[in-house]
Amino acid sequence: MLYRYQQGKVQVNHNRFLGYTKDAEGNLIIDPEQAETVKRIYREYLEGSSMDKIAAGLEADGLLTGAGGKRWHTSTINKILQNEKYMGDALLQKTITTDFLTKTRIKNNGSAPQYYVENDHEAIIPKDIFLLVQEELVRRRGIKKDHNGRACSYTSNHIFSKMVICGNCEDFFRRIHWNNHGCKSIVWRCSSRLDRSRSTIPCTTRTVNEEELKSIVIRAINEVFASKKDYLKVLQNHIAQVVKESAAISEIEIDKHLLELQKELINKANNKEEYNSIAEEIFHYRELKQKTLTDGATRDDQVNRLKELYDFIKSQSTELTEFDESLVKRMVERIVVYDDKVCVEFKSGMTVEV
C-alpha cells in the first residue's frame, strides 16, 4: 500500500465520489451528469449562497448525492468544496488504518506520510475557481464571529446580510419584520439590541427601515457617479496597488526547488533522519506553492472585478433611480450605521457619508 502511495497511484471509491466513475483500466473519468451537480455547487457558493441554501436547492431539484442519497447535508457540501480531486489533483493517505482486523481508519494527522499528486486525472473544476472557493471558505469562517468573538451564522438570504454593521458596537445588523399596531415593515437592527446576552452594555444604535437603507445606498452610489473623476482615480490607484503586490517567491522557483528536493530525497532513502528532514521541507514548499497559487488567483480575480467596475463607472452617464442588487454587490463593501449618519464604504476604498 505504501509503495502504491509513493508511486502516486490514486485509489478512490468512485461509487460514493460525486462527479466521477472509473474506466476499464480503473482510471478516474468524469460522469457528465454528476459533474454538472458539482459545478452547480461551486458556482452557487461563489455567487454567495450558503451551504444550507445549496443543500436545500439540490434536494428541491431531486439531485442525488455521490452515495445515491436524496438528503443533502452541509457537511457533504463542505467536503465537496474542499476536495482537491475536483481540480484534478489528489492528496493520498488522508486517512490511515489503525486496526487491520476491524479495518478501522482514522484521519492522518501526521503519523504517516502523505503524497500529493498534481494533474492526476481530468478536472471538473478549474484550478483558479477551486482556489477562489478556498479563499471564500476562509473569508466566511472569518465572519462567523462577531467583534466579541461570539459565533454568528453566515446567511445569504439578503443583499445586506453581513454588510450592515453597527457604528457603535461593530456588531452586525439583522433583518427583522415589524408589526407595529398593524403597520407592517421590514427593518434592520443591531444584533446586540435584539439579543441582550451578546453584550453587557445594551447597544442603543438606531433601527433603520429597509427602504430607507436602500435609498441611502442609492444616494451614495449617485454621489460616486457625480464625482466620477475622483472615484475613478481612487479605483485606478487601488488596481495598481493590487497588481503591485506579488508573492515573495514565484511558482517557477518553487517547482525548481521541489524538483531538486525530490531528487535529493531519493538519494537519502537509506538515511531515515535526513530523509524525514527533506520530506518535511518538500511538504513546506508544497504548502507554499498552494498559498502562492491561491494568492495569485485571488489577486487576478480582484483585479478583474476592479477593472470591470472601473469600465462600468466610466460608461455610466445617468443617475441610479432604483435599487440595483447586482450593482450594490459589485460596488459596496459594507454599510456602517451611526445615530447621525450612515457611511457607505465602496470596494474601491472610497467612503460616502449620507
Side-chain angles (χ1 to χ4, degrees):
M1 177 68 80
L2 182 59
Y3 177 78
R4 192 163 66 230
Y5 282 136
Q6 290 172 332
Q7 297 300 305
K9 293 181 179 178
V10 180
Q11 300 293 314
V12 177
N13 180 7
H14 67 284
N15 293 322
R16 303 178 67 88
F17 187 25
L18 184 71
Y20 286 99
T21 184
K22 285 187 178 180
D23 61 15
E25 286 74 41
N27 301 311
L28 280 178
I29 57 171
I30 292 175
D31 180 311
E33 187 176 345
Q34 291 186 4
E36 288 305 313
T37 303
V38 175
K39 290 175 184 176
R40 169 175 166 170
I41 291 168
Y42 276 75
R43 181 178 65 252
E44 290 185 359
Y45 189 76
L46 280 181
E47 287 173 351
S49 292
S50 65
M51 293 185 200
D52 282 331
K53 190 173 181 180
I54 294 171
L58 296 172
E59 284 185 14
D61 292 341
L63 296 172
L64 303 179
T65 65
K70 295 179 180 179
R71 181 75 187 276
W72 285 85
H73 300 279
T74 54
S75 58
T76 306
I77 303 295
N78 190 37
K79 285 177 183 177
I80 289 171
L81 291 172
Q82 294 186 73
N83 195 329
E84 78 288 338
K85 292 182 183 68
Y86 287 118
M87 65 169 176
D89 294 353
L91 177 61
L92 309 182
Q93 209 157 233
K94 289 181 183 177
T95 60
I96 55 174
T97 302
T98 56
D99 189 325
F100 287 95
L101 293 175
T102 61
K103 303 293 173 84
T104 302
R105 295 187 69 82
I106 62 168
K107 187 176 180 181
N108 181 3
N109 290 315
S111 54
Q114 292 182 317
Y115 304 90
Y116 195 88
V117 182
E118 293 187 86
N119 304 316
D120 171 76
H121 51 274
E122 188 179 357
I124 292 175
I125 305 298
K127 286 195 177 184
D128 57 340
I129 299 298
F130 182 86
L131 295 172
L132 283 175
V133 165
Q134 306 319 298
E135 282 290 303
E136 179 64 7
L137 284 164
V138 172
R139 187 189 75 82
R140 292 194 194 181
R141 278 198 291 271
I143 63 172
K144 282 195 174 183
K145 291 184 182 294
D146 62 18
H147 70 292
N148 289 318
R150 287 178 295 265
C152 55
S153 61
Y154 175 85
T155 175
S156 58
N157 293 334
H158 196 275
I159 175 67
F160 290 142
S161 293
K162 298 296 179 286
M163 184 185 283
V164 185
I165 296 166
C166 177
N168 180 27
C169 69
E170 297 182 359
D171 213 336
F172 290 113
F173 267 46
R174 275 164 50 189
R175 188 176 193 249
I176 57 175
H177 291 259
W178 261 7
N179 188 345
N180 191 7
H181 302 294
C183 182
K184 296 180 180 180
S185 61
I186 300 173
V187 299
W188 287 79
R189 175 174 265 196
C190 178
S191 297
S192 294
R193 290 192 67 181
L194 294 169
D195 182 3
R196 296 300 176 91
S197 66
R198 296 172 70 89
S199 178
T200 53
I201 303 173
C203 183
T204 57
T205 302
R206 66 192 176 104
T207 300
V208 186
N209 184 281
E210 185 168 284
E211 291 307 311
E212 181 190 353
L213 200 54
K214 287 181 179 179
S215 177
I216 286 168
V217 173
I218 291 172
R219 285 172 59 189
I221 291 174
N222 282 334
E223 280 195 37
V224 167
F225 290 165
S227 56
K228 186 190 298 185
K229 191 175 179 181
D230 293 336
Y231 182 86
L232 290 177
K233 189 175 180 180
V234 172
L235 192 54
Q236 208 165 27
N237 289 337
H238 196 176
I239 293 170
Q241 184 61 36
V242 174
V243 171
K244 188 179 177 181
E245 293 172 358
S246 59
I249 182 169
S250 72
E251 186 186 344
I252 295 171
E253 289 173 317
I254 294 172
D255 283 337
K256 185 180 176 182
H257 200 64
L258 274 172
L259 185 61
E260 291 170 357
L261 285 170
Q262 284 162 350
K263 288 177 182 176
E264 194 176 345
L265 191 67
I266 295 169
N267 295 329
K268 303 292 183 181
N270 295 323
N271 187 324
K272 186 178 179 181
E273 190 174 323
E274 289 188 34
Y275 182 93
N276 289 340
S277 175
I278 295 167
E280 283 182 18
E281 195 173 353
I282 286 174
F283 285 129
H284 166 72
Y285 273 95
R286 280 180 178 161
E287 287 175 1
L288 185 61
K289 180 180 178 180
Q290 186 81 349
K291 186 177 185 304
T292 302
L293 287 168
T294 303
D295 291 348
T298 303
R299 276 197 303 275
D300 290 345
D301 179 65
Q302 193 177 1
V303 168
N304 288 335
R305 282 189 283 111
L306 288 171
K307 283 181 177 176
E308 285 176 7
L309 185 57
Y310 181 92
D311 292 339
F312 173 80
I313 300 297
K314 193 174 181 180
S315 63
Q316 190 69 22
S317 57
T318 58
E319 279 196 347
L320 191 67
T321 56
E322 294 181 357
F323 186 80
D324 186 334
E325 190 169 307
S326 62
L327 180 60
V328 173
K329 278 183 180 178
R330 289 170 66 184
M331 291 186 68
V332 179
E333 183 70 37
R334 65 179 198 160
I335 303 161
V336 186
V337 178
Y338 299 91
D339 283 328
D340 59 343
K341 64 183 178 182
V342 175
C343 292
V344 180
E345 298 178 8
F346 291 91
K347 291 180 179 178
S348 66
M350 182 179 279
T351 299
V352 174
E353 286 186 12
V354 178

